[in-house]
C-alpha cells in the first residue's frame, strides 16, 4: 500500500514561518509530480505549489515569494517552507503525488491525510 505522510503543521503567529514535510512510502514504480494543496473552511481545495521530477515549480499567485517547495526524489519526499504567514493561510494542507504503481500503467493521484496550519495571534 502506498501512502503519503505529512508532518509539520501547527499554530503560528502572523509573519511567522512553518515547514511542512511529506514522505511517500510503500511500493511503486515512479513518482512524477509532487505538491501541496490546501483547503480552508467553506472553500474548495486549491493549489499551493507543485514540483516536477526535474525541479520545475508552479505556485499559486498568493504564495509566490513567500512559499518555497522542494523535493528529494531519492527519498521520495517533498517539503514546503512557508514564510511571512498570514491569517488567510489558515487551512488544512494536503500533500499530493502523481505516481505510477507499475510500469506501463496509468498514473495515480495520491493524497496525504492533511495537516492543519493555523495562523493567528
Amino acid at each position: 500500500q502506498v501512502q503519503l505522510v505529512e508532518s509539520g503543521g501547527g499554530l503560528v503567529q502572523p509573519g511567522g514561518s512553518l515547514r511542512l514535510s511529506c514522505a511517500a512510502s510503500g511500493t511503486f514504480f515512479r513518482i512524477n509530480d509532487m505538491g501541496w494543496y490546501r483547503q480552508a473552511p467553506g472553500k474548495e481545495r486549491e493549489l499551493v505549489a507543485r514540483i516536477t521530477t526535474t525541479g520545475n515549480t508552479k505556485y499559486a499567485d498568493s504564495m509566490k515569494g513567500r512559499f518555497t517547495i522542494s523535493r528529494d526524489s531519492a527519498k521520495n519526499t517533498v517539503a514546503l517552507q512557508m514564510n511571512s504567514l498570514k491569517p488567510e493561510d489558515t487551512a488544512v494542507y494536503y500533500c499530493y503525488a502523481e505516481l505510477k504503481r507499475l510500469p506501463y500503467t496509468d498514473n495515480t493521484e495520491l493524497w496525504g491525510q492533511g495537516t492543519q496550519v493555523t495562523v493567528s495571534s
Side-chain angles (χ1 to χ4, degrees):
Q1 181 179 0
V2 185
Q3 60 179 353
L4 299 174
V5 179
E6 302 124 331
S7 61
L11 173 65
V12 64
Q13 292 186 342
S17 298
L18 277 177
R19 182 177 178 85
L20 305 182
S21 298
C22 173
S25 63
T27 302
F28 48 86
F29 175 64
R30 184 180 68 222
I31 295 180
N32 299 321
D33 287 9
M34 298 188 80
W36 293 90
Y37 287 72
R38 71 184 187 186
Q39 187 167 19
K43 295 187 177 181
E44 294 186 353
R45 189 173 296 188
E46 63 175 352
L47 170 72
V48 175
R50 284 177 68 135
I51 185 167
T52 69
T53 55
T54 56
N56 292 323
T57 57
K58 177 180 180 179
Y59 295 91
D61 288 343
S62 62
M63 288 71 158
K64 288 180 180 178
R66 300 189 299 124
F67 292 7
T68 302
I69 190 171
S70 60
R71 71 185 284 177
D72 184 334
S73 294
K75 296 181 179 180
N76 297 315
T77 60
V78 63
L80 183 70
Q81 178 66 41
M82 303 185 293
N83 299 327
S84 302
L85 283 162
K86 306 174 181 179
E88 52 263 43
D89 293 317
T90 296
V92 177
Y93 284 69
Y94 295 91
C95 180
Y96 165 88
E98 180 191 84
L99 60 85
K100 195 176 290 291
R101 296 180 187 270
L102 296 170
Y104 311 112
T105 61
D106 292 338
N107 293 327
T108 299
E109 293 187 337
L110 193 63
W111 295 90
Q113 80 282 2
T115 185
Q116 177 70 46
V117 171
T118 302
V119 184
S120 175
S121 56

